[in-house]
């Protein structure tokens, strides 16, 4: 008997977390299948298909290759799950289940609210179907060329809930947002279907404005759980959804260390790497490699502004990655945009140490200086960046263990 294949079907899948999620659901055969549009039909009709999930940009196009489409998927107008049984191809939509789960986890209630859905593709169709079913007062789809678009979006600045179904802000194009959330004064809830990064620019803006928000990781896991039920025709407990979501958040979130120069960030970071098995990214080392010269030499030749510019580029690169330990330079907090780079996938820890114990060798801004003045100036910046702090007054090993304990308890979607 031919071995059946299972996996995710899409065009660009480098951002996907689906393989580890389905592995956690017990499917070790799950793989990624990147296809061009002209390959879609032939692949879906393969006789060895067991089950497939379908993502951008094929959720609508895949419908034409299904022999039978579930009533719900037909109503929604897109499929994201395909199963082959008895020589026939069945199409389902498990995104609806995942989307409703996401709203519930985020505490976002659309009932009697004006809702804006950004995007008009297959994911948008699912969101719109759910929003209507959940009793929204009104619903408007914002697309690039529709009646309601980004050129006239000011008509909808009174929206209560905003849902992003577009790939804007998704890895590797982190940091982008289709809208300026500050314009939406009535907004009380933001949901973003993107799950990589954990926190898109849209979600970070919502957090800054005190608006309830949630990313797409919980949706991804919930829909995967339901898809697995279709794949293997068996019921899976709903409890596993939250468990896997928490595991995926922990595995994908970075541990970010900030703090005064000489506070022991690198030493603690190395202990964390030994403790967790995670890769450590030392941004000062990355800067030296990129510039081709030492940090003191960069300051001497080019000045601090050039150094900060290089540093921000490095932090942007590092912050896009997942599951790492990121050790920053002491002045990383002096550039406001660096916060988004580090926070999008990270929990940020300030390493605090008695100023009289701070090392100054090889540090252009510390050597021979009154560190109390630097600390006084940077104190509000560290406060703004950090999620929490850890005193590095014991051994680096003990400090690392405190951070890891906190991270395991607090890292979540």
């Amino acid at each position: 008997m031919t071995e059946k294949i299972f996996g995710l079907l899409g065009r660009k899948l480098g951002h996907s977390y689906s393989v580890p999620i389905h592995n956690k659901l017990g499917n070790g055969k799950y793989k990624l299948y990147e296809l061009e549009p002209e390959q879609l039909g032939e692949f879906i009709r393969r006789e060895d298909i067991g089950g497939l999930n379908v993502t951008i940009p094929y959720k609508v196009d895949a419908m034409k290759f299904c022999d039978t489409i579930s009533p719900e998927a037909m109503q929604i107008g897109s499929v994201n799950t395909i199963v082959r049984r008895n020589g026939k191809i069945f199409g389902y939509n498990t995104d609806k289940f995942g989307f409703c789960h996401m709203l519930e986890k985020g505490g976002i209630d659309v009932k009697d609210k004006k809702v804006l859905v950004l995007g008009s593709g297959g994911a948008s169709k699912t969101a719109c179907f759910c929003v209507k079913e959940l009793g929204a007062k009104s619903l408007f789809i914002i697309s690039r060329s529709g009646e309601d678009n980004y050129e006239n979006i000011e008509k909808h600045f009174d929206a209560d809930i905003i849902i992003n179904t577009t790939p804007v802000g998704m890895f590797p194009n982190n940091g982008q947002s289709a809208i300026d959330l500050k314009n939406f004064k009535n907004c009380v809830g933001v949901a973003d279907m993107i799950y990589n990064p954990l926190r898109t620019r849209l979600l970070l803006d919502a957090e800054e404005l005190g608006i309830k928000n949630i990313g797409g990781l919980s949706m991804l896991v919930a829909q995967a759980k339901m898809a697995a039920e279709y794949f293997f025709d068996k019921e899976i407990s709903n409890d596993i959804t939250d468990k896997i979501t928490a595991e995926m958040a922990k595995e994908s979130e970075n541990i970010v260390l900030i703090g005064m120069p000489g506070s022991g960030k690198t030493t603690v970071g190395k202990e964390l790497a030994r403790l967790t098995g995670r890769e450590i990214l030392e941004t000062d080392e990355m800067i030296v490699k990129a510039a081709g010269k030492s940090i003191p030499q960069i300051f001497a030749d080019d000045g601090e502004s050039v150094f900060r510019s290089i540093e921000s580029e490095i932090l942007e690169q590092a912050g896009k990655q997942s599951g790492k330990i990121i050790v920053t330079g002491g002045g990383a907090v002096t550039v406001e945009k660096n916060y988004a780079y580090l926070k999008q996938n990270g929990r940020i820890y300030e390493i605090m140490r008695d100023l009289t114990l701070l090392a100054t060798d090889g540090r252009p801004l510390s050597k021979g200086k009154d560190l109390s003045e630097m600390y006084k100036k940077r104190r509000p910046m560290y406060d703004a960046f950090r999620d929490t702090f850890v005193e590095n007054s014991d051994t680096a090993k003990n400090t690392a263990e405190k951070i890891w304990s906190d991270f395991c308890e607090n890292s979540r979607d």
Side-chain angles (χ1 to χ4, degrees):
M1 180 181 291
T2 304
E3 187 171 321
K4 293 182 177 180
I5 65 172
F6 297 87
L8 176 65
L9 178 61
R11 196 168 190 184
K12 301 293 182 184
L13 301 175
H15 66 285
S16 177
Y17 293 166
S18 291
V19 170
I21 290 172
H22 281 271
N23 287 171
K24 292 175 186 294
L25 287 164
N27 186 352
K29 298 178 182 178
Y30 198 93
K31 298 180 180 179
L32 302 180
Y33 296 96
E34 292 186 342
L35 300 179
E36 292 302 311
E38 62 272 14
Q39 300 173 291
L40 188 63
E42 181 181 358
F43 188 87
I44 290 175
R45 292 193 183 102
R46 284 177 55 158
E47 293 185 1
D48 58 350
I49 294 294
L52 296 171
N53 287 124
V54 183
T55 190
I56 296 171
Y58 299 134
K59 292 186 179 187
V60 176
D61 290 343
M63 296 180 74
K64 68 182 77 162
F65 305 110
C66 296
D67 299 303
T68 300
I69 297 174
S70 70
E72 195 164 66
M74 187 66 77
Q75 282 182 286
I76 293 171
S78 72
V79 300
N80 77 307
T81 301
I82 289 173
V83 180
R84 188 179 184 90
R85 297 193 199 95
N86 302 319
K88 292 190 177 296
I89 301 166
F90 294 79
Y92 303 94
N93 189 301
T94 65
D95 276 341
K96 181 202 169 186
F97 175 76
F99 181 79
C100 291
H101 177 79
M102 176 177 69
L103 292 185
E104 182 181 352
K105 295 301 292 184
I108 297 174
D109 184 6
V110 302
K111 186 174 174 57
D112 298 324
K113 302 290 198 307
K114 177 175 179 176
V115 179
L116 285 194
V117 173
L118 308 180
S120 56
S124 171
K125 294 179 187 299
T126 300
C128 292
F129 182 87
C130 296
V131 163
K132 290 174 184 175
E133 200 173 63
L134 292 170
K137 179 177 68 176
S138 59
L139 167 66
F140 296 91
I141 300 169
I142 307 298
S143 63
R144 284 174 293 185
S145 56
E147 179 182 348
D148 295 290
N149 54 66
Y150 297 101
E151 298 300 318
N152 60 24
I153 197 171
E154 67 274 2
K155 296 188 300 182
H156 303 295
F157 281 169
D158 61 340
D160 303 300
I161 306 290
I162 296 172
I163 298 164
N164 181 45
T165 71
T166 77
V168 176
M170 184 172 71
F171 178 88
N173 299 311
N174 305 41
Q176 300 178 12
S177 178
I179 61 170
D180 183 351
L181 197 56
K182 292 185 179 67
N183 291 321
F184 297 85
K185 305 301 183 184
N186 295 342
C187 186
V188 294
V190 174
D192 196 328
M193 288 190 181
I194 292 172
Y195 54 86
N196 184 5
L198 290 172
R199 304 170 192 90
T200 59
R201 176 77 261 175
L202 181 63
L203 295 181
L204 289 171
D205 288 346
E207 190 69 32
E208 183 182 352
L209 294 168
I211 299 170
K212 283 184 181 179
N213 63 90
I214 189 165
L217 184 58
S218 58
M219 175 180 172
L220 179 71
V221 176
Q223 69 79 24
K225 192 276 294 190
M226 191 175 206
E229 292 180 329
Y230 283 122
F231 291 169
F232 301 107
D233 196 23
K234 67 176 183 180
E235 189 171 338
I236 301 172
S237 170
N238 284 331
D239 293 342
I240 200 169
T241 302
D242 288 343
K243 177 177 181 292
I244 293 177
T245 301
E247 288 176 359
M248 289 300 302
K250 177 183 169 184
E251 290 169 14
S252 58
E253 190 160 29
N254 297 318
I255 300 173
V256 181
L257 306 184
I258 63 172
M260 282 286 285
S263 58
K265 299 184 295 295
T266 297
T267 307
V268 172
K270 288 177 179 177
E271 288 293 341
L272 271 168
R274 278 191 280 271
L275 177 65
T276 65
R278 290 180 171 221
E279 180 185 2
I280 183 171
L281 302 179
E282 297 182 59
T283 60
D284 278 355
E285 283 190 2
M286 295 168 71
I287 291 167
V288 169
K289 185 176 180 180
K293 50 186 168 183
S294 70
I295 290 175
Q297 198 62 50
I298 297 172
F299 272 81
D301 294 347
D302 309 304
E304 183 178 359
S305 62
V306 170
F307 172 81
R308 294 298 172 207
S309 178
I310 299 170
E311 182 178 50
S312 291
E313 291 175 8
I314 294 300
L315 293 175
E316 183 178 16
Q317 294 171 25
K320 286 183 179 184
Q321 300 194 49
S322 299
K324 310 296 185 187
I325 296 165
I326 300 177
V327 178
T328 69
V333 297
T334 63
V335 179
E336 186 178 355
K337 66 181 179 181
N338 292 344
Y339 172 76
Y341 297 152
L342 297 172
K343 185 59 184 173
Q344 62 182 332
N345 277 324
R347 180 164 173 81
I348 303 176
Y349 292 85
E350 182 188 0
I351 306 297
M352 300 187 73
R353 190 172 176 83
D354 188 319
L355 294 181
T356 63
L357 301 177
L358 300 185
T360 60
D361 286 347
R363 295 175 168 86
L365 297 182
S366 299
K367 195 169 181 64
K369 304 290 177 59
D370 179 1
L371 294 183
S372 62
E373 284 300 313
M374 177 191 289
Y375 182 75
K376 182 179 179 182
K377 182 178 180 181
R378 290 185 180 177
R379 178 71 267 148
M381 302 172 190
Y382 290 127
D383 288 341
F385 269 57
R386 75 184 190 191
D387 289 296
T388 188
F389 70 91
V390 177
E391 290 278 357
N392 187 23
S393 55
D394 200 348
T395 66
K397 183 175 182 291
N398 287 344
T399 303
E401 287 173 350
K402 290 177 191 175
I403 292 171
W404 182 238
S405 176
D406 176 272
F407 184 79
C408 291
E409 183 178 344
N410 292 288
S411 178
R412 59 176 62 91
D413 180 39

